[in-house]
């Protein structure tokens, strides 16, 4: 282990008994100074370090880009300012600082509206584990910074891989295709946020909306909440199955601003499945 991480240019940051903390270098300098033939090698120049979904792992080291090598990791604002500060890699996606700030403000207002709608049903500790099923820039998660919870930000595998922007904001996330099951081990979630997820799955990918609902039901803990923001036909589609999967409507709201277009917000709560015998016992 020690020989391997030394060849990978990691350094010991702290050590106590059998516990060692290693730190990765901030530049390519050490990589460039390694002897020829050192293993593991650097990845090929045409290797895409952001291609992670359905891609086999390779035993190679991804060097920093010229920008990251020059900045030495100094481009990020300190926490918690980095949550709302434009990430230095915005330009990789053609996004401007103005677009980022507008997106951040938009989701701040949307989250405030969500919590107003949820307030009759929740208390301080009701919501702890949250998943944003289509995170984009991570602004939904950033807007929850004052809440005592954490957010798993999921980025679609066939869209812009904005996961690195989410990481730059100090958030966590993953890449997924919602036509497939999501590995949630070892926990379920208290709140799922699905902004135009159904539209993507049904219209763009041609997958089953019913299967997605069942997958959401599996991921969501009993008495947990789902927020769907989508077009009215999609909302009507979801409502059609609520009774069958034992969910109930908490609130419905039309778009609150011009930037929401035709979107409608539906908030539902998953109910406990009770047998007829258990129902008699609770009476």
């Amino acid at each position: 282990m020690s020989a391997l991480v030394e060849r990978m240019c990691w350094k010991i940051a702290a050590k106590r008994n059998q516990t060692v903390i290693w730190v990765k270098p901030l530049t390519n300098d050490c990589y460039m100074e390694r002897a020829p033939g050192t293993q593991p090698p650097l990845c090929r120049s045409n290797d895409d370090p952001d291609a992670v979904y359905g891609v086999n792992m390779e035993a190679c080291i991804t060097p920093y880009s010229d920008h990251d090598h020059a900045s030495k990791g100094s481009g990020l604002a300190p926490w918690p300012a980095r949550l709302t500060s434009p990430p230095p890699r915005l330009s990789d996606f053609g996004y401007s600082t103005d677009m980022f700030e507008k997106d951040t403000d938009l989701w701040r207002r949307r989250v405030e509206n969500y919590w107003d709608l949820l307030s009759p049903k929740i208390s301080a500790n009701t919501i702890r584990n949250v998943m944003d099923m289509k995170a984009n820039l991570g602004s939904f998660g950033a807007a929850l910074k004052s809440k005592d919870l954490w957010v798993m930000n999921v980025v679609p595998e066939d869209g812009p891989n904005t996961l690195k922007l989410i990481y730059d904001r100090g958030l966590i996330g993953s890449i997924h295709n919602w036509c497939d099951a999501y590995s949630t081990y070892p926990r379920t979630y208290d709140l799922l946020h699905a902004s135009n997820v159904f539209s993507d799955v049904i219209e763009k990918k041609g997958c089953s909306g019913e299967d997605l609902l069942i997958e959401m039901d599996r991921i969501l803990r009993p008495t947990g909440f789902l927020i769907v923001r989508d077009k009215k036909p999609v909302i009507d589609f979801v409502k059609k199955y609520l009774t069958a999967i034992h969910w109930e409507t908490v609130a419905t709201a039309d778009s609150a601003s011009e930037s929401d277009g035709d979107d409608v917000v539906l908030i539902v709560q998953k109910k406990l499945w009770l047998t007829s015998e258990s129902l008699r016992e609770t009476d």
Side-chain angles (χ1 to χ4, degrees), residues 60-102:
C60 63
I61 299 171
T62 300
Y64 293 106
S65 66
D66 292 342
H67 173 273
D68 292 344
H69 172 74
S71 67
K72 299 181 180 180
S74 62
L76 297 175
W79 179 266
R82 63 191 294 188
L83 269 173
T84 52
S85 299
R89 295 189 284 187
L90 267 180
S91 58
D92 292 358
F93 299 89
Y95 298 148
S96 66
T97 296
D98 183 61
M99 291 169 62
F100 174 84
E101 291 174 346
K102 286 181 177 178

Side-chain angles (χ1 to χ4, degrees), residues 121 224-226 242-243 245-251 266-271:
K121 290 281 189 176
F225 297 90
L226 165 66
L242 294 184
T243 301
I245 56 178
H246 289 222
W247 291 1
E248 63 181 4
T249 300
V250 172
L266 172 67
I267 301 180
V268 297
Q269 184 175 23
K270 178 179 176 178
K271 297 192 294 184

Side-chain angles (χ1 to χ4, degrees), residues 9 25-34 69 72:
C9 295
L26 291 174
T27 69
N28 293 327
D29 292 343
C30 177
Y31 300 147
M32 298 299 104
E33 294 170 358
R34 299 191 314 164
H69 172 74
K72 299 181 180 180

Side-chain angles (χ1 to χ4, degrees), residues 55-153:
V55 176
N56 293 329
M57 291 190 294
E58 293 188 38
C60 63
I61 299 171
T62 300
Y64 293 106
S65 66
D66 292 342
H67 173 273
D68 292 344
H69 172 74
S71 67
K72 299 181 180 180
S74 62
L76 297 175
W79 179 266
R82 63 191 294 188
L83 269 173
T84 52
S85 299
R89 295 189 284 187
L90 267 180
S91 58
D92 292 358
F93 299 89
Y95 298 148
S96 66
T97 296
D98 183 61
M99 291 169 62
F100 174 84
E101 291 174 346
K102 286 181 177 178
D103 186 74
T104 299
D105 183 65
L106 174 64
W107 280 105
R108 178 189 58 78
R109 289 185 279 108
R110 286 177 172 177
V111 166
E112 287 177 356
N113 184 48
Y114 290 161
W115 249 249
D116 287 342
L117 296 172
L118 281 167
S119 58
K121 290 281 189 176
I122 62 174
S123 59
N125 297 318
T126 303
I127 298 176
R128 300 151 299 175
N129 311 322
V130 179
M131 177 188 287
D132 188 3
M133 299 177 67
K134 186 180 178 182
N136 195 19
L137 302 183
S139 295
F140 169 82
L144 291 167
K145 63 181 180 180
S146 63
K147 311 294 183 185
D148 189 16
L149 50 79
W150 67 275
V151 182
M152 172 60 74
N153 297 276

Side-chain angles (χ1 to χ4, degrees), residues 45 176 234:
S45 59
H176 187 61
V234 171

Side-chain angles (χ1 to χ4, degrees), residues 32-46:
M32 298 299 104
E33 294 170 358
R34 299 191 314 164
T38 300
Q39 297 293 322
L42 296 182
C43 297
R44 300 182 303 274
S45 59
N46 62 351

